[in-house]
Amino acid sequence: MTTPARYSDGAIHVPGGVTFPVPVTPREQAVAPDLTSAVYTSDNDLVCVDRAGAQRWRHEFGTVQEKVRNVRAGCTFSFNGEHVWLFRPDAMGNWNDGDDTWHVLDATTGTLLASADLGTVGHGGNHHVHPNGTDVLVDVGEGQDGSLLFRGTLRGTSLEVVRYPWEDRVLVAIAEDGRGFMTVHHEQHDVAFHTYPDGEVVRRVSAADLGHDEDTWLEWTGGYLDPDTAFVVAGGEDDGEEWFRHHLVDVRTGAHLGTFDAHAADAYGVIPVGGGAWLTFEGGEFRRHVR
């Protein structure tokens, strides 16, 4: 499982009170499985630091931009912590000429090992590490134009990339056993559960299936609390005030299992950790919850 990491008050935090001081607010951050190093993206580079905040290495994106707006480079560690994966929204970031790119670097040295052109024009890319230990998925959001999903595998010095055949689904989670994954429609109509790796849809759940009316949307978040139970988040607006509600769904049948109190301050605040448990992060601290 990817190590949960959040930024607050000048440091990247992980559960257990471990922190990594950083000099800027990261665009995105990730922490190695052994908790010895963290990486983060800024406006113009990817930086690796140790637990004291000392820089281990830096990977520059290209032509330095005074201020990068509306884009966010994404990063994550591989399952075993040996590699760092980097998504660069080059098309809108203007660090280089061309479309967005995906890269794999050596986690110890920062050496670039492999790269691939994705042909996208994204604002950002969210990584999901598959538990098979080799595959990493990145979901590239292109704003109103939709969202594209890619599966990457490092093979020697080559990055092998497979694109999924849709432009209207946002990846939100991979199942604990790796046999499935979960997406939300780009226009927030429904949640779908897919088989892995082929992506076949086996279940769909709409806001109506959760007991809501046609004005309710589904947030671009969710996850697996255990192998058979997922949570989805419905949202709406009453008298100008937005609301959200967490629902439980049976992954095998799509049946609605009711609502639950996630103890989260926002719709995107639940971090599932398996076994029916999840984390929330507030005030610089992770808190663990169990159903």
Side-chain angles (χ1 to χ4, degrees):
M1 186 185 70
T2 302
T3 304
R6 296 292 186 271
Y7 172 81
S8 177
D9 298 326
I12 298 168
H13 297 248
V14 298
V18 176
T19 60
F20 298 81
V22 292
V24 299
T25 301
R27 289 301 185 96
E28 190 166 296
Q29 64 279 322
V31 173
D34 64 4
L35 307 185
T36 60
S37 60
V39 292
Y40 66 90
T41 57
S42 68
D43 279 350
N44 289 290
D45 49 25
L46 169 71
V47 182
C48 179
V49 297
D50 64 18
R51 286 171 65 164
Q55 180 179 309
R56 288 187 165 178
W57 51 262
R58 178 186 301 269
H59 172 80
E60 297 179 350
F61 296 161
T63 302
V64 175
Q65 303 298 307
E66 182 177 346
K67 183 64 176 178
V68 177
R69 303 182 186 278
N70 301 319
V71 298
R72 170 182 51 81
C75 58
T76 194
F77 279 89
S78 61
F79 188 82
N80 61 9
E82 294 181 359
H83 304 121
V84 173
W85 291 67
L86 167 69
F87 167 78
R88 280 196 342 221
D90 287 303
M92 296 182 66
N94 298 314
W95 304 290
N96 300 280
D97 295 330
D99 293 333
D100 302 336
T101 52
W102 205 11
H103 309 270
V104 184
L105 297 86
D106 184 288
T108 301
T109 65
T111 301
L112 184 63
L113 302 176
S115 300
D117 293 331
L118 295 183
T120 57
V121 182
H123 294 273
N126 294 317
H127 287 96
H128 296 259
V129 179
H130 194 276
N132 67 7
T134 60
D135 297 351
V136 175
L137 285 78
V138 66
D139 185 283
V140 180
E142 292 190 320
Q144 64 182 9
D145 293 330
S147 185
L148 299 97
L149 180 60
F150 301 86
R151 182 176 73 249
T153 306
L154 179 64
R155 301 194 186 281
T157 58
S158 298
L159 176 51
E160 180 181 288
V161 178
V162 176
R163 175 178 166 178
Y164 283 87
W166 57 70
E167 300 179 0
D168 60 357
R169 305 212 65 86
V170 178
L171 176 65
V172 297
I174 297 176
E176 290 180 60
D177 60 9
R179 297 170 61 183
F181 61 93
M182 177 180 173
T183 66
V184 176
H185 193 277
H186 185 260
E187 296 183 1
Q188 303 178 278
H189 300 318
D190 63 29
V191 171
F193 296 95
H194 307 250
T195 56
Y196 189 87
D198 54 274
E200 178 184 355
V201 176
V202 293
R203 298 282 182 275
R204 292 186 188 271
V205 177
S206 67
D209 295 326
L210 304 176
H212 294 289
D213 61 28
E214 61 183 9
D215 294 325
T216 302
W217 59 79
L218 295 175
E219 301 284 358
W220 294 306
T221 186
Y224 296 81
L225 293 184
D226 60 50
D228 298 325
T229 310
F231 73 91
V232 300
V233 185
E237 186 175 330
D238 287 333
D239 298 324
E241 294 290 330
E242 290 193 357
W243 57 266
F244 63 90
R245 190 165 300 136
H246 290 81
H247 293 263
L248 297 174
V249 172
D250 188 312
V251 175
R252 298 162 299 180
T253 65
H256 182 210
L257 303 178
T259 61
F260 75 107
D261 182 2
H263 307 284
D266 66 79
Y268 293 79
V270 174
I271 309 166
V273 292
W278 69 95
L279 303 175
T280 57
F281 183 74
E282 187 174 359
E285 293 184 3
F286 285 92
R287 293 179 173 83
R288 188 174 188 272
H289 311 273
V290 181
R291 287 177 56 200

